[in-house]
Amino acid sequence: MKTLNKASLILFPLLFLSLFKHSHAAGIAIYWGQNGGEGTLAEACNTRNYQYVNIAFLSTFGNGQTPQLNLAGHCDPNNNGCTGLSSDIKTCQDLGIKVLLSLGGGAGSYSLSSADDATQLANYLWQNFLGGQTGSGPLGNVILDGIDFDIESGGSDHYDDLARALNSFSSQRKVYLSAAPQCIIPDAHLDRAIQTGLFDYVWVQFYNNPSCQYSSGNTNNLINSWNQWITVPASQIFMGLPASEAAAPSGGFVPADVLTSQVLPVIKQSSKYGGVMLWNRFNDVQNGYSNAIIGSV
């Protein structure tokens, strides 16, 4: 009996740790920055609903253009008006939330003309956002955790080069890389980049694409597409969803009860499951979606 008790005492902590590790690994990623009505970044992080925040977007870069932030109504980068976000970013990071800068978006002026162009952008991002200099960047004197690739226009060339160039800085300080491809696989803009195997998080946009999204009570297309995406060489795959019906005009909204009862139990069986990505904070505020699902993610 004593031997059994001793064995139980050894096994129980191991079991507890494995359960904690599994539960800790999953989280919700949110996009913030594209609607002045969504509240502050600190308010978003203080909900404790999100494990990752993508600041959206650096919407101008490449081809000789000066990189430019567009944070909608939040601040004006042209007069250094976004440096005040530094305190909010630190608030998020102090809560253990990873804060990434998202490149691209649905409306912007961006593309990469060459491998050298990609390297120049990587150097700019390192110097201004990722800790390469001690001075203040466009978001103030902060060091972000990584870079998100939300490339939806401007071609697919050289984003693999950009991923490699950014990853090279991880020898000095870990630079997390994430990507937000459309659910049609392979993604038209990010496939070559994702195939480098350098991405920590791939939050797939399972919306605005009828062939691979939820619709009319049917989860088949959604789950079939998920099963394809978990084969790509990335550390974790997230199910990217609209936080409300209004967030995705072409469909893909999954009611919270359907997500928690029919979808999450299936996709959580994958060892690559990382959680759920939501577009975006404004719609989440309006609809309370993350509050409804956080207990099941």
Side-chain angles (χ1 to χ4, degrees), residues 217-233:
N218 192 327
T219 63
N220 290 340
N221 288 348
L222 180 65
I223 298 298
N224 289 341
S225 183
W226 168 268
N227 287 335
Q228 289 182 287
W229 276 102
I230 57 176
T231 67
V232 304

Side-chain angles (χ1 to χ4, degrees), residues 79-257:
N79 59 12
N80 293 321
C82 298
T83 57
L85 284 171
S86 59
S87 61
D88 284 29
I89 292 167
K90 288 173 182 174
T91 294
C92 298
Q93 292 175 326
D94 287 347
L95 292 170
I97 297 165
K98 288 184 173 61
V99 182
L100 296 87
L101 175 65
S102 186
L103 310 181
S109 173
Y110 58 86
S111 63
L112 295 173
S113 60
S114 65
D116 183 62
D117 198 10
T119 299
Q120 289 183 41
L121 178 59
N123 290 337
Y124 170 83
L125 295 170
W126 172 253
Q127 291 295 329
N128 287 277
F129 298 100
L130 299 170
Q133 66 181 21
T134 55
S136 179
L139 293 174
N141 188 20
V142 290
I143 297 174
L144 300 185
D145 296 286
I147 300 295
D148 174 60
F149 290 44
D150 183 15
I151 308 303
E152 302 187 32
S153 64
S156 61
D157 292 341
H158 306 296
Y159 289 104
D160 53 341
D161 295 315
L162 179 61
R164 292 186 190 98
L166 287 168
N167 183 66
S168 70
F169 291 116
S170 285
S171 61
Q172 301 176 61
R173 183 183 184 278
K174 171 63 178 175
V175 175
Y176 289 91
L177 297 180
S178 64
Q182 305 292 307
C183 56
I184 296 172
I185 192 168
D187 182 75
H189 300 285
L190 287 168
D191 182 58
R192 274 187 290 174
I194 292 169
Q195 292 302 324
T196 64
L198 297 174
F199 284 82
D200 301 283
Y201 318 115
V202 174
W203 19 74
V204 184
Q205 299 184 45
F206 290 99
Y207 49 93
N208 291 336
N209 287 288
S211 67
C212 46
Q213 69 189 25
Y214 172 86
S215 71
S216 304
N218 192 327
T219 63
N220 290 340
N221 288 348
L222 180 65
I223 298 298
N224 289 341
S225 183
W226 168 268
N227 287 335
Q228 289 182 287
W229 276 102
I230 57 176
T231 67
V232 304
S235 300
Q236 291 184 309
I237 309 297
F238 289 64
M239 177 158 283
L241 297 171
S244 71
E245 288 190 77
S250 297
F253 177 71
V254 183
D257 61 328

